[in-house]
Amino acid sequence: MTALHPNGVNHLALSTRDMKGQLEFWCDVLGLPLKALYWMHGVEGTYHGFIELAPDSYVAFVQHPDNAKDIELGVTHAGGPGEPVTAGTMQHVAFNVDTFEDLMALRDRIRDRGVQVFGPIDHGFIQSIYFAGPEGLALEVACGSAIPVEQWVDPEVLGLCEISDAELEALKYPAEYTRPAGPVPQPSSATGMPRLMPTDHYDMVMNLPDQVVWDRMSETTPPVAAE
């Protein structure tokens, strides 16, 4: 049986107040092609842009009219790949290239566009370069794969995280899942698990039948008709 789990990042969505500036940076400095730019479905006054990492992987930008402009290091942004920031926010994001030669070529492309790059650094299982993106983003590009787990799980850090031997095995080998014959009903919001949105009508929204959500909220028509 093949283990069921997400197998990559379809898109990473980043907030912006300057869609054009972000697209210019990512497309020119990093060489990523623009694939979509349109009104975000179901969100009034909001732009959505997609640039392509691979045919099944993208970086997306969301320009909402009420996005805050103030950056507070340690709260809204980390300001560096090892700096503190509010829990649950993005500390930094690392993108992949296939080889160390590719990593060095991309380092030179980024520097050629006037952006300072720190590195490379060899972390053992990956090699990395670090640089800043618009609006306070802390970014990394790395190469490497197949982390040898037995060498890279530190017993001291396990203890500090209060992870027992049994819990470690469950983390290393997540339980398989067999989908039942019928759909799993929506659980109660009182389970203590994370909530998708902080609205006063949350339960009503989350308990809409799946088919109603699909029928009423899907929007598949491109803004520009195919030739």
Side-chain angles (χ1 to χ4, degrees), residues 177-187 210:
Y177 180 76
T178 301
R179 186 181 180 188
V184 175
Q186 187 79 289
D210 294 338

Side-chain angles (χ1 to χ4, degrees), residues 41-154:
H41 296 157
V43 186
E44 185 175 355
T46 300
Y47 309 145
H48 215 179
F50 281 74
I51 56 175
E52 183 182 76
L53 297 165
D56 59 358
S57 184
Y58 303 84
V59 177
F61 301 96
V62 179
Q63 184 172 334
H64 191 288
D66 295 331
N67 283 350
K69 64 180 177 63
D70 296 329
I71 294 174
E72 186 176 351
L73 297 184
V75 179
T76 64
H77 293 65
E83 299 301 314
V85 70
T86 301
T89 62
M90 188 181 77
Q91 203 282 336
H92 71 278
V93 61
F95 298 98
N96 183 70
V97 292
D98 291 334
T99 68
F100 189 76
E101 182 179 349
D102 291 342
L103 186 68
M104 293 299 90
L106 191 54
R107 176 202 62 185
D108 290 342
R109 178 187 179 116
I110 297 168
R111 285 179 174 173
D112 186 63
R113 297 309 198 267
V115 177
Q116 292 184 315
V117 178
F118 184 73
I121 297 176
D122 190 347
H123 295 291
F125 58 88
I126 59 170
Q127 295 77 48
S128 302
I129 59 173
Y130 301 90
F131 55 101
E135 299 177 298
L137 294 173
L139 304 174
E140 175 183 353
V141 178
C143 62
S145 60
I147 301 173
V149 63
E150 300 301 337
Q151 294 180 279
W152 285 98
V153 176
D154 188 332

Side-chain angles (χ1 to χ4, degrees), residues 38-46 48 64 216-219:
Y38 60 96
W39 292 105
M40 189 173 186
H41 296 157
V43 186
E44 185 175 355
T46 300
H48 215 179
H64 191 288
R216 295 185 181 178
M217 299 185 182
S218 296
E219 175 53 76

Side-chain angles (χ1 to χ4, degrees), residues 142-173:
C143 62
S145 60
I147 301 173
V149 63
E150 300 301 337
Q151 294 180 279
W152 285 98
V153 176
D154 188 332
E156 179 183 10
V157 179
L158 279 175
L160 293 171
C161 294
E162 300 182 347
I163 297 174
S164 68
D165 290 344
E167 290 168 332
L168 173 60
E169 289 303 297
L171 295 173
K172 288 165 55 179
Y173 307 105

